[in-house]
Amino acid sequence: MTYKHFLLAASATILSLSAVTSRADTYPSKPIKIVVPFAAGGTTDLLARAVGVELSKSWGQSVIIDNRPGAGGNVGAEIVAKSAPDGYTLLMGTVGTHGINQSLYSKMSFDPIKDFAPVTLVAAVPNVLELNTQFAEKNKIKDLKSFIAYAKANPGKMNMASSGNGTSIHLAGELFKSMTKTYMLHIPYRGSSPALTDLMGGQADLMFDNLPSSLPFIKSGKLLPIAVTTAKPSPALPGVPTVASYGGELAHYEASSWFGILAPAGTPKDIVNKLQQEIAKSLSSPAVKDKLISQGADPVGNTPEQFAAHIQAETRKWAKVVKESGAKVD
């Protein structure tokens, strides 16, 4: 390399580094949009709004929550996958969009791994097996034992609501049905909120909902919690057992949910890191942390690399669950 070529190469490197520094320093310079792939009112929406409020406070830019429900979260996820990789369009992804759907759907218009840049895992939450209170009282269902007995004695007579095909809420129910050899009619909605509305209205009988979106209705007595789907009981629901504690065919049952921020693939690493650091900072603040825990969520805020590894592990786990349950969406 000649001295002239060395100077040109050095200058190019300096300009490139300057551009990166400038890009990180000026981001964000306009409003950020977080796409929520489910209807407003569900856990995905609640967590996205919590993150959005904190980012807006820190950076002085508006954070717009854009609800795009449909196809088990695939509609909203596709929008982000095909957006400009500039850090201004993000996804509140879920175990459904990034752990389940690629095994459940025969055709996908995007690749959950290749088309996204993981930013951070925001929170993990248990699902809760809950019943319409009047339905439970009418059929003398008080606990998991009496629920299973009713389900086995009445195949096809219970309507199981979910936030959509392929969601963790749907798969938690399918796994339960598979392990207990029971049959309940699945009714998919475009998010937890409309599903909960029909559950409380009596159009559906039960649901395996994410705990944060159901907790207010459980506390008000409108829904009866039977069990949580995590390996350990939830502090937010004292006295409510795990599904696995039933033993027998359910001894190894576990189907928890998680939610995390992702950007389109190709988003500059410095912007991804800046987002992760700010979100993690907000999740560790006592006000946000205590609020999420009280709602039944476990705040995380890990690194992009840790979140990427988590997504890959969950993809493998749920592929096995989908196969064993026999669930499929064309």
Side-chain angles (χ1 to χ4, degrees):
M1 178 183 289
T2 66
Y3 183 66
K4 180 180 179 181
H5 287 155
F6 173 79
L7 288 177
L8 288 172
S11 297
T13 301
I14 291 170
L15 287 172
S16 177
L17 290 173
S18 297
V20 170
T21 302
S22 175
R23 183 176 55 203
D25 288 344
T26 59
Y27 175 85
S29 58
K30 62 181 181 180
I32 296 170
K33 178 169 68 177
I34 300 179
V35 174
V36 174
F38 296 99
T43 299
T44 318
D45 181 71
L46 294 174
L47 290 173
R49 292 180 189 278
V51 169
V53 167
E54 295 304 312
L55 290 179
S56 183
K57 285 180 183 177
S58 299
W59 288 337
Q61 290 288 348
S62 299
V63 177
I64 302 163
I65 305 300
D66 186 8
N67 295 89
R68 297 295 187 97
N74 286 347
V75 171
E78 181 184 6
I79 290 171
V80 178
K82 296 180 178 179
S83 294
D86 55 10
Y88 290 99
T89 303
L90 307 172
L91 176 73
M92 179 57 82
T94 71
V95 62
T97 62
H98 283 77
I100 296 173
N101 286 2
Q102 60 185 311
S103 297
L104 187 72
Y105 283 78
S106 57
K107 294 181 180 179
M108 294 277 287
S109 58
F110 63 91
D111 188 311
I113 303 293
K114 295 179 180 178
D115 292 341
F116 289 88
V119 176
T120 189
L121 179 63
V122 173
V125 306
N127 289 352
V128 54
L129 167 54
E130 59 198 9
L131 276 67
N132 172 285
T133 304
Q134 294 179 333
F135 174 83
E137 291 176 352
K138 178 183 176 181
N139 295 288
K140 299 180 180 179
I141 301 174
K142 298 180 180 180
D143 51 24
L144 191 57
K145 182 179 180 180
S146 54
F147 172 75
I148 293 174
Y150 181 87
K152 288 187 174 182
N154 297 276
K157 292 186 178 181
M158 284 195 288
N159 293 331
M160 182 184 77
S162 84
S163 55
N165 285 317
T167 61
S168 67
I169 294 171
H170 171 207
L171 262 292
E174 292 297 336
L175 181 61
F176 184 91
K177 288 160 59 177
S178 175
M179 294 176 76
T180 56
K181 295 180 173 57
T182 54
Y183 175 67
M184 296 168 272
L185 180 63
H186 174 226
I187 304 177
Y189 289 80
R190 293 169 69 88
S192 282
S193 186
L196 286 168
T197 297
D198 273 10
L199 178 59
M200 290 184 286
Q203 286 75 40
D205 304 314
L206 70 128
M207 187 172 174
F208 285 78
D209 191 31
N210 303 144
L211 180 53
S213 51
S214 280
L215 193 56
F217 307 114
I218 291 172
K219 288 184 174 180
S220 67
K222 295 180 180 179
L223 295 173
L224 175 68
I226 295 295
V228 292
T229 64
T230 40
K232 296 180 180 179
S234 171
L237 282 180
V240 177
T242 65
V243 172
S245 68
Y246 180 79
E249 66 266 41
L250 291 170
H252 300 291
Y253 181 97
E254 183 179 1
S256 56
S257 299
W258 51 261
F259 307 82
I261 292 290
L262 301 104
T267 300
K269 182 64 175 175
D270 57 315
I271 289 179
V272 170
N273 288 338
K274 191 170 184 178
L275 278 164
Q276 185 275 329
Q277 290 164 10
E278 196 59 46
I279 294 170
K281 178 182 175 183
S282 68
L283 292 174
S284 64
S285 70
V288 176
K289 186 176 182 179
D290 292 347
K291 181 180 180 180
L292 292 182
I293 291 174
S294 70
Q295 294 176 339
D298 181 18
V300 183
N302 59 4
T303 67
E305 293 76 18
Q306 289 170 330
F307 188 24
H310 179 76
I311 290 172
Q312 292 173 356
E314 286 287 283
T315 299
R316 292 190 295 270
K317 168 190 170 181
W318 284 102
K320 182 179 179 181
V321 173
V322 169
K323 183 177 180 180
E324 291 178 350
S325 71
K328 205 70 182 173
V329 179
D330 294 322

